[in-house]
Amino acid sequence: MSLLRRGFRTVGLPVVALVLCAWLLVARFGGGGHLAPRPAQASLREVEIVVASLKSENTSWVQQYLPDWSHSIYVVDDPAAKLTVAKNKGREAMVYLTHIIDRYDSLAPITVFAHAARFAWHNDDPDYDALATLHNLQLDYVRSSGYVNLRCVWVLGCPGEIRPKLDALDEPYENAMRNLDPKHPPATKQVYKQSFQELLPGEDMPELVGVSCCSQFAVSWETIRRRPRGDYVRWRDWLLNTELIDDLSGRVLEYTWHIMFGKEGVYCPNPSAQSFICSLHLAELPLHVRLLMRTIIRLASWSQGRLLNQPVLRRRILLNARIFSTTSTMAEEYKLKGVTSLTLQPGDKVEVDVEGLDAKVLLVNAAGKVQAVGPKCTHYGAPLVKGVLGHNGKLTCPWHGACFNTKTGDIEDGPALDPLPVFKTIERDGAVYITGDADTIKAGRRKPNFKCTSIGADKVLVVGGGSGALGVVEGLRNGGYAGAITVVSNEGYLPIDRPKLSKALLTDLSKLQWRDAEWYKSGSVDIVQDEVVDVDFAAKTVSTKSGGKFAYTKLVLSTGGTPRLLPLQGFKVLGNIFTLRNVGDAGKINEAIGDKGKKIVIIGSSFIGMEIAVATSGGNDVTVVGMEKAPLERVLGETVGNFIKKGVESKGVKFYLSAGVEKAEPSASDPSKVGSVWLKDGTKLDADIVILGVGVAPATEYLRNNSVVRLEGDGSLKTDESFSVVGLKDVYAIGDIATYPYHGPGGGGRYVRIEHWNVAQNAGRTVAAHITNPNVKPEFFTPVFWSALGAQLRYCGNTIASGWDDVVLQGTPDEGKWVAYYTKDDTVVAMASMGMDPVMAQCAQLMQLNKMPSKKQIQGGLDVLSLGAPQ
């Protein structure tokens, strides 16, 4: 009755009555009582459970009830055991570290670290059954978050157990150790500061440390590998050599694992039921469960979380919500047509039919494990069988460079947004089978972990609504970030597939917007259509044109570029002179073209100008004016530029190159509109429409008078590798406004500003990863772009940092099949190709691995595809 009495005192009879109704509904549908052992649900991903045990402990339940998981059961007090440790010291920490060290190069995609006892007081289950927790562990959430504690209650360890700096003042480490008594050891907080500095030298010590006990958690392969193996060796050496007794050294690690794996010092569940929403995907639950949970959440909000702090009630809600979180379609086993064994070598892949379904899957060797994934890139549907699969399991799309981790299906590099589904694959009786539900197999994609109800005081504010903003938002929610997200954009619509503007002058938002409004709403992402006019970095607020003010804890500036204009006679005052940056611009150009038959002059022979020329060439008289000797000469060189020119000329486009523009004059029939463009050599070009493609400037006008920030000479912001703005705390810059250190081939960390749509999205993902895991070093991604220039141009790498002094050509340009390698000295720093897929995908992986062949090798006729799977 204590729970009821407290309920009456806190929120009164109506609330308690509703809670009792909710309880009964859970008991009716969820069962309550002891959860009978059942076979573990077939997982679409490999999971390994690592157990620390003594000889006296019975661990048979692990193998019996988790047959689909790999098992590594260490017996610490038995030197003859199959798996043991060098010294039984530091409790379970010695086992965990030993496993990571020994298996560093062959870790499972997800590793679960657990205790030997099935029933223990610290398990989140009404009957304290570890099996219930493990059965209902949401693997997608582990993969997206990277690290997940297996406890969701506050006792013990939360909301803040240790204050390292203050606790050390209360009882200095030296005093605690001087008076060391094994029967009455010092508290963990007394030795934590010194131990943290020994374990993580040079890393920022949190002011407060809190985590739900008791050293049971799940970690993704990527999260573990973000730290070098040497760190784990050093931590185990510390464990072996520390003068702390076992209980104390193990307890120190218990309060440090989450920090080692990239989380903040305090990693505690929110006191209200809302903390469950991000991890349980409430919107995906059945209707009756959603209604139940929403009622309880409202009660929690009403009672300020007091009722939901009751551990038994919280555990029952958690358990039964997980029991209900089954999908409407059940996983079934399907036979793969014509496949008799799982004998693929690393880097091998094959597309196969699924018997009984009108669908295919892609069989891959994912870093040593053969499994099936969706067969097409989720960006534009490229066949991934024609892509490049590295020995590390990374699969790169042959068209636009999207990268997927085939062990998990997750996106590693854009421009794709949806991950691939991964299907468990087994060989049996001379045949191969996959396990999955029919709808997912047919779709060949899965939606990322996005649904969330934001909680806590953290607020990420994104200024800008382009590709970079898209990468930040998707990366944050996929990475488990549960704080508030607000996007302030002056574009007037949701993030779009901007390349389609110049490539096709598309204006239909239903075909341009990557996600609809409901998608962002489901992830508690607020989209504000307004324009930022000022940033107060001290107060951590931004002001908008309409008078709004928005606070932030992290600020991401992603405002893109502003098209440059020509400061010449006529260009600022005459109508029908356009730039192209947004949907409105494309609409105005389409309206001016009307029924076609127009004379169109495009000024600028770089990518935007050339793409618009191709897009408008049908039924119009199109002329391109460029200052270069050949189109795209600055990026691709004169020889390759002329290859491109020839293809575009075949569409009827005319060129005036090495030309300067003098002025624009009005039309005789309508003096308010342009009628002609005059070149400096006296040539007159009649024009109904003029389109400027003369580059963009960083859109940082709102910062030009800000005394706190320093803009670079071109108006951009200087950042570090994580895209944090130099000199500003909690502020990031990405996309066209960011100048960042480039570590690709020939880069040497020199600063570059790259105006690629895909670079902006990947920078956004990098920022999201840094916000969710600030201790993790960002990974280099190879810049990739593509262009529709009659045929599809692929490009990867970068020449801005190093420049280039030579280009090596392979292929047959006359047939539209060629590769150009741009070199500086003997280093290949970039490449471009047409009609030679998947050469670009291969080079992108090789550049990321720092394994790109030398200029000398390329000149000798080396075909990069002959190198096989990158490794």
Side-chain angles (χ1 to χ4, degrees), residues 76 87-94 180 182 185 188 238-240 242-254:
V76 298
K87 188 175 183 179
N88 181 14
K89 193 173 184 224
R91 304 196 306 182
E92 68 282 322
M94 182 63 70
L180 187 62
T188 309
W238 176 87
L239 204 58
L240 288 168
T242 181
E243 56 186 332
L244 300 179
I245 61 174
D246 284 4
D247 279 354
L248 206 51
S249 61
R251 185 74 69 177
V252 166
L253 268 297
E254 181 175 325

Side-chain angles (χ1 to χ4, degrees), residues 137-138 141-142 145-150 216-219 263 267:
L137 177 63
Q138 297 213 19
Y141 186 65
V142 178
S145 180
Y147 165 91
V148 174
N149 196 328
L150 296 188
Q216 298 192 100
F217 47 85
V219 195
K263 298 300 181 183
Y267 184 73

Side-chain angles (χ1 to χ4, degrees), residues 698 700 704 710-718 736-739 753:
T700 52
R704 293 195 185 280
R710 177 185 176 275
L711 297 178
E712 297 297 292
D714 61 357
S716 65
L717 290 161
K718 190 176 184 179
D736 291 358
I737 68 170
T739 295
R753 188 173 69 86

Side-chain angles (χ1 to χ4, degrees), residues 114-140:
H115 294 170
R118 176 179 168 188
F119 297 96
W121 68 269
H122 49 65
N123 292 324
D124 274 354
D125 174 64
D127 295 307
Y128 308 115
D129 187 352
L131 191 59
T133 300
L134 297 174
H135 275 153
N136 294 294
L137 177 63
Q138 297 213 19
L139 302 183
D140 281 348

Side-chain angles (χ1 to χ4, degrees), residues 570 573-578 592 598 664-676 687-690:
V573 295
L574 293 174
N576 275 9
I577 297 179
F578 304 102
K598 300 298 190 296
E665 289 197 337
S667 167
S669 60
D670 185 350
S672 68
K673 296 179 180 179
V674 69
S676 61
D688 300 310
I689 298 168
V690 173

Side-chain angles (χ1 to χ4, degrees), residues 320-567:
N320 286 282
R322 281 176 173 161
I323 291 173
F324 283 148
S325 61
T326 55
T327 58
S328 59
T329 55
M330 296 297 293
E332 296 182 30
E333 197 172 74
Y334 295 91
K335 185 179 180 181
L336 298 184
K337 185 176 181 179
V339 183
T340 58
S341 65
L342 298 174
T343 56
L344 294 179
Q345 298 302 309
D348 285 353
K349 56 192 180 306
V350 59
E351 187 179 88
V352 295
D353 291 306
V354 180
E355 290 192 2
L357 296 176
D358 183 17
K360 298 177 183 289
V361 294
L362 186 68
L363 270 183
V364 298
N365 185 315
K369 179 180 176 59
V370 177
Q371 56 191 25
V373 300
K376 293 184 178 180
C377 179
T378 59
H379 178 224
Y380 282 178
L384 291 174
V385 70
K386 297 182 179 180
V388 171
L389 177 62
H391 278 247
N392 57 5
K394 173 179 282 192
L395 177 60
T396 301
C397 167
W399 291 358
H400 307 122
C403 292
F404 302 89
N405 182 331
T406 54
K407 290 179 289 186
T408 64
D410 288 344
I411 294 168
E412 296 205 352
D413 293 329
L417 295 181
D418 290 345
L420 297 173
V422 179
F423 306 106
K424 180 182 176 182
T425 309
I426 62 170
E427 177 184 336
R428 185 175 65 244
D429 301 328
V432 172
Y433 300 85
I434 63 169
T435 300
D437 69 83
D439 289 343
T440 303
I441 295 172
K442 291 177 180 179
R445 65 170 65 206
R446 58 182 171 84
K447 288 297 182 183
N449 302 312
F450 194 81
K451 295 181 176 66
C452 185
T453 296
S454 61
I455 58 174
D458 289 344
K459 299 177 181 178
V460 172
L461 180 64
V462 184
V463 181
S467 177
L470 187 67
V472 173
V473 170
E474 297 271 340
L476 284 172
R477 285 294 184 245
N478 295 348
Y481 176 78
I485 302 175
T486 299
V487 177
V488 180
S489 168
N490 64 358
E491 302 219 21
Y493 40 78
L494 302 174
I496 62 169
D497 190 356
R498 197 181 303 277
K500 287 182 178 178
L501 295 184
S502 58
K503 292 172 172 60
L505 290 178
L506 197 63
T507 58
D508 185 345
L509 287 177
S510 67
K511 297 178 180 179
L512 282 170
Q513 292 179 161
W514 283 109
R515 308 291 198 194
D516 60 21
E518 284 302 314
W519 173 263
Y520 294 102
K521 185 177 179 180
S522 75
S524 296
V525 177
D526 293 327
I527 307 292
V528 178
Q529 299 296 343
D530 205 342
E531 182 177 351
V532 170
V533 294
D534 190 29
V535 181
D536 187 335
F537 293 105
K540 288 193 168 184
T541 61
V542 303
S543 300
T544 65
K545 192 173 184 178
S546 67
K549 183 167 284 191
F550 298 87
Y552 67 85
T553 56
K554 306 284 186 184
L555 176 65
V556 186
L557 303 176
S558 180
T559 41
T562 300
R564 298 182 189 274
L565 303 174
L566 289 180

